[in-house]
């Protein structure tokens, strides 16, 4: 795994908008690079499980002490995965005494959902062309 920092998508964007939906307009090179960093953070099963555990927790936050026992991994490895999710802007945390509590950053998951969502009622461009060619 590389030691590169993951940049939070949309942070420091001048207009506040990160990327168009994939079906609305092609991503430019910078948008693709930034989006790939977030998807890279999501590209590991442990990180996906951690994100899911944090996001689905009643009350909206979870202590690291409740996350670690769910995995057959060392505490430093879990902390590393959580750090990568934080660097990607998917979660945030706060230290309270000895423990660290994590919560989902809904703005980031909403942004990802917006990028991946097809406008309502519109067929996917590839599907419409394939259907027309088959008739």
């Amino acid at each position: 795994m590389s030691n590169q920092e993951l940049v939070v998508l949309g942070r420091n964007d001048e207009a506040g908008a990160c990327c168009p939906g994939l079906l609305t307009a092609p991503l430019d090179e910078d948008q693709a690079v930034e989006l790939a960093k977030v998807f890279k953070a999501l590209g590991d099963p442990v990180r996906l499980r951690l994100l899911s555990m944090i996001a689905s927790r009643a009350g909206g936050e979870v202590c690291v002490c409740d996350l670690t026992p769910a995995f057959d991994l060392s505490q430093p490895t879990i902390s590393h995965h959580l750090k990568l999710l934080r660097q990607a802007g998917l979660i945030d945390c706060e230290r309270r005494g000895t423990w660290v509590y994590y919560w989902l950053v809904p703005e980031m998951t909403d942004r990802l959902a917006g990028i991946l969502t097809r406008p309502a009622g519109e067929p996917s461009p590839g599907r419409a062309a394939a259907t027309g060619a088959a008739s």
Side-chain angles (χ1 to χ4, degrees):
M1 169 136 328
S2 96
N3 288 333
Q4 71 185 14
E5 290 275 325
L6 297 175
V7 178
V8 174
L9 194 63
R11 217 179 259 175
N12 300 331
D13 279 356
E14 294 162 19
C18 143
C19 308
L22 291 176
L23 296 177
T24 313
L27 298 174
D28 68 28
E29 187 174 345
D30 291 338
Q31 292 168 329
V33 167
E34 294 306 311
L35 189 55
K37 290 175 184 177
V38 176
F39 283 118
K40 182 177 180 181
L42 291 172
D44 181 275
V46 171
R47 290 193 289 271
L48 277 175
R49 285 187 61 211
L50 284 166
L51 185 68
S52 174
M53 291 171 72
I54 293 166
S56 64
R57 185 65 170 224
E61 63 182 30
V62 61
C63 177
V64 69
C65 62
D66 295 325
L67 295 171
T68 306
F71 299 89
D72 190 24
L73 298 169
S74 68
Q75 182 276 322
T77 300
I78 296 297
S79 291
H80 173 73
H81 285 298
L82 290 166
K83 176 184 170 185
L84 293 176
L85 290 170
R86 279 190 57 226
Q87 288 175 337
L90 293 161
I91 61 172
D92 206 352
C93 68
E94 175 182 80
R95 178 172 291 282
R96 298 180 196 152
T98 335
W99 300 111
V100 178
Y101 289 80
Y102 290 89
W103 59 86
L104 182 73
V105 176
E107 296 82 9
M108 178 55 77
T109 54
D110 291 348
R111 180 172 286 146
L112 290 175
I115 290 166
L116 295 174
T117 300
R118 171 176 62 85
E122 291 184 26
S124 120
R127 195 100 161 115
T131 305
S135 19

